[in-house]
Amino acid sequence: MAAANMKDVKRRIKSVESTMQITKAMQLVASSKMRKAKLRAEAVHPFFEGVFQVMCDISRDHEFKSVFTKKKFKNSTLIVVIAGDRGLAGGFNSNVLKPALARAEELKSSGADVKIMAVGRKAVEFFEKRGYVLMEGYPQIAEGIELPDVMQIAEKIIERYRIGDFDEVELVYTTFVSVMTQEPQQMKILPVENLEYLGEKQPSTIYDPSPEEVFDSLVPQYLCGMLYSAIIDSYASEQAARRTAMESATDNAGEMIDKLSLLYNRARQAQITQEITEISSASLNSD
């Protein structure tokens, strides 16, 4: 009986060791992807910061008006929800999808028409299962996404916004605070309002052919920057959450191996003790 138990424990130790190797590898891969995502976000930040600064400069003109700053009657809202493509990332996906669903239900209860644009396989599946008709779904794009890809998404939103398919656009995603902390964020991105550049204010510039036309031409790039930053930020957050989850799983596997090894050693010691006792008893009986 003891021998059978030892075999089961040894088999279990090998199984947990195999699992620990997988979780350790996933932890290292997630760390590498997280660093790359942060570098990608930092590389494009200066360009979009410049675009935002110009928009802020134009908006300081009190006579300035644009279709993208005009507040409308809120009877239709597009919610852009960014989540992950895979699981095994702790509560990362649920932490962003639950507030997105709550916001959608809140708008629906107030009589607004709600449209969903889902980025990430988990977001697409989540809202399709709950009966929401997606305006667009973009699964499996975050890891290799480039600016031209995001610009196409931004132009689709702009086109639908211009023709009045929705009056405002809200964004729900997860921002990277630190390796251990990722926080869900909700913000309105259209109409553009409350533009205030916190850097050094430059003298007002003369824009040709007009401030309005320059502003409207910059809105797609502004929206592209917002979406690109949010997608990359969310992707980095996903990898950080997965890294933390896999690190915890690896530590738990190590603890389990230690407990199983102790159990195996006790069973082995009991077997040796039993064998010694049997040998001693046999020796005494022969005498």
Side-chain angles (χ1 to χ4, degrees), residues 9-10 12-13 16 251-267:
V9 172
K10 198 168 185 178
R12 179 61 174 161
I13 290 174
V16 176
D251 292 342
N252 291 338
E255 293 178 4
M256 187 177 294
I257 289 172
D258 290 340
K259 292 179 180 178
L260 289 171
S261 297
L262 181 61
L263 184 62
Y264 176 82
N265 291 333
R266 285 177 177 173

Side-chain angles (χ1 to χ4, degrees), residues 98-153:
K98 285 181 180 179
L101 179 62
R103 178 57 178 161
E105 295 295 330
E106 178 187 357
L107 290 169
K108 287 177 67 176
S109 64
S110 65
D113 179 31
V114 178
K115 296 178 174 63
I116 301 291
M117 176 180 283
V119 179
R121 184 171 63 87
K122 292 295 183 181
V124 173
E125 293 175 351
F126 181 85
F127 283 99
E128 284 182 341
K129 288 179 180 178
R130 284 156 180 79
Y132 283 84
V133 178
L134 301 184
M135 189 186 91
E136 295 285 348
Y138 298 96
Q140 307 288 350
I141 66 167
E143 183 172 359
I145 199 165
E146 300 292 343
L147 283 172
D149 303 323
V150 184
M151 182 57 77
Q152 291 181 4
I153 298 174

